[in-house]
Amino acid sequence: MTVRAADPAPDILVVDDDPILRDLLADWLQGAGYRVRTANDCEGALLELGQRAAALVVSDMYMPGACGLEAIDRIKRRQPAVGLIVVSGRFNSGEGLTRDAALGAGADRALAKPLKRSELLRAVTDLIGTPPA
């Protein structure tokens, strides 16, 4: 009889230049059973995706360097099938990138900050399912 190891939890890449928010999102996702990697910016995210694919990217939209629509485009070109949740404090402000523009550019979900744990986990579950028990 062959015993198979359990499928690993889906791999999620969290991208944010704010270390407190980045760690908080990573903690929420790890607490829900997902494997999490982090990056400080879009360039770091692209390096991570080049080393190992992710099932999902959760990314802030306003960071130093590539951000906004450019970040969405670059992530999707690197890994077209990746799920992408973008977050921004500006979605509800009436300035900069809108939710509709982010979704039109290829994001699967656009969530406004301040972000609620339940809202993030619901979007993650919708896109990649629950982690294996």
Side-chain angles (χ1 to χ4, degrees), residues 8-93:
D11 196 32
I12 299 174
L13 177 60
V14 174
V15 187
D16 201 307
D17 61 321
D18 178 342
I20 293 171
L21 185 57
R22 185 177 59 243
D23 291 346
L24 177 65
L25 297 180
D27 287 348
W28 287 351
L29 294 166
Q30 288 170 334
Y34 297 98
R35 290 185 315 172
V36 179
R37 294 180 285 155
T38 62
N40 301 332
D41 56 26
C42 187
E43 293 303 321
L46 294 173
L47 288 173
E48 284 288 330
L49 292 174
Q51 292 176 10
R52 188 172 79 232
L56 180 70
V57 174
V58 178
S59 181
D60 185 22
M61 283 289 87
Y62 291 97
M63 301 177 283
C67 66
L69 295 177
E70 181 182 355
I72 294 170
D73 180 62
R74 292 178 72 186
I75 289 168
K76 285 296 195 170
R77 275 191 284 130
R78 170 69 68 164
Q79 192 180 335
V82 71
L84 179 58
I85 297 172
V86 296
V87 296
S88 176
R90 296 183 183 181
F91 286 149
N92 289 335
S93 72

Side-chain angles (χ1 to χ4, degrees), residues 3 42 65 83 87 95 104 107 111:
V3 177
C42 187
V87 296
E95 66 179 58
L111 305 177

Side-chain angles (χ1 to χ4, degrees), residues 1 20 52 116-118 127:
M1 178 177 170
I20 293 171
R52 188 172 79 232
K116 295 179 182 169
R117 181 180 182 273
S118 60
L127 294 172

